[in-house]
Amino acid sequence: PPAAPAAAAATAATAAAATAAMQNGVSGGAHGSAMEEVAKGVALDYLNKVDAGFSTYTGSYLATLRFYFDVNNEYVLQKLKLLLFPFKKHEWTPSDSNSGQLRPPKDELNSPDLYIPAMAFATYILAMGFALGAQGRFTPDVLGLAGSSGLVILFLEVMGIKLTFYLTNGTRLAVLDLCSCCGYKFVGVVLVLAAKALLGSSVGYLLLLLSCASIGTFMVKTLRHLTVQGQGFTPGFITEGIASPAHSEVRKMQDYALWAVGGLQVVWSWYLSHGV
């Protein structure tokens, strides 16, 4: 009958269409797999670059921090002695190594460190708790308040010094160097708190003046060395367009700023220890 050839033709057409669809699917799947591999390669390459950059950044930053904590017992003892009796020392310039780089604190007494400031800060928090506990006024909030007050004062002082010397003569001081220099004040504050708790307020205030004189002198001489490179006037973001002042004027402004930093140690140390 005539319907048989028509059915055969329809069956053949259907088979041909199915075969074409299967071939197109295989081709599309292969093309999709290739695109997926390319995208995966690009993503892995990007992640590897990010990881390498992050490792380089963290590695250099940790190496910098490691320098400031590279100390030994001899250095700590000599540095504490220098902090308490800085008046007769004349040489404040750190000596460089054979490679021209600054020698670590364990090999150079004049190099800045963060070990003593960090330990003194932690001891300050504990000493504040001990002193108030001896007076029967200790509460758990005391430790948090002491720590936050110390950090806020340290931050304000570091930023204030950095901005002041940048405006006066364009000197760009390293933040970690300033944290080291300003953090030494906690050594004196710990001694003041101990004196107040054990020997009375009168002895504590006397020791406050003596310790501030020592720490202030140390900071003035240390900062003077750090600002030696700024003998001229380098206009910066805020000081752009300001005429270059004479060398004597720059030196005078620098000296005023240095002695202001030293004098403010009395204010900071009193505030950090006034609760006892």
Side-chain angles (χ1 to χ4, degrees), residues 13 29 98 158 215-216 224 255 268:
N98 295 331
V158 168
I215 301 298
R224 189 184 299 279
D255 287 340
W268 302 135

Side-chain angles (χ1 to χ4, degrees), residues 143-176:
L143 301 180
L145 290 174
S148 59
S149 298
L151 288 177
V152 168
I153 287 178
L154 183 64
F155 174 80
L156 292 177
E157 186 174 24
V158 168
M159 292 297 103
I161 293 174
K162 186 174 180 64
L163 180 61
T164 298
F165 284 99
Y166 175 71
L167 292 178
T168 54
N169 59 353
T171 304
R172 291 171 172 83
L173 301 176
V175 172
L176 291 180

Side-chain angles (χ1 to χ4, degrees), residues 25 36 67 82 85 90 128 134 142 173 194 198 222 230 232 240 272 276:
E36 290 177 0
F67 170 85
L82 178 61
F85 305 101
H90 299 290
M128 178 64 78
V142 167
L173 301 176
L198 300 176
T222 301
E240 189 69 37
L272 291 171
V276 178

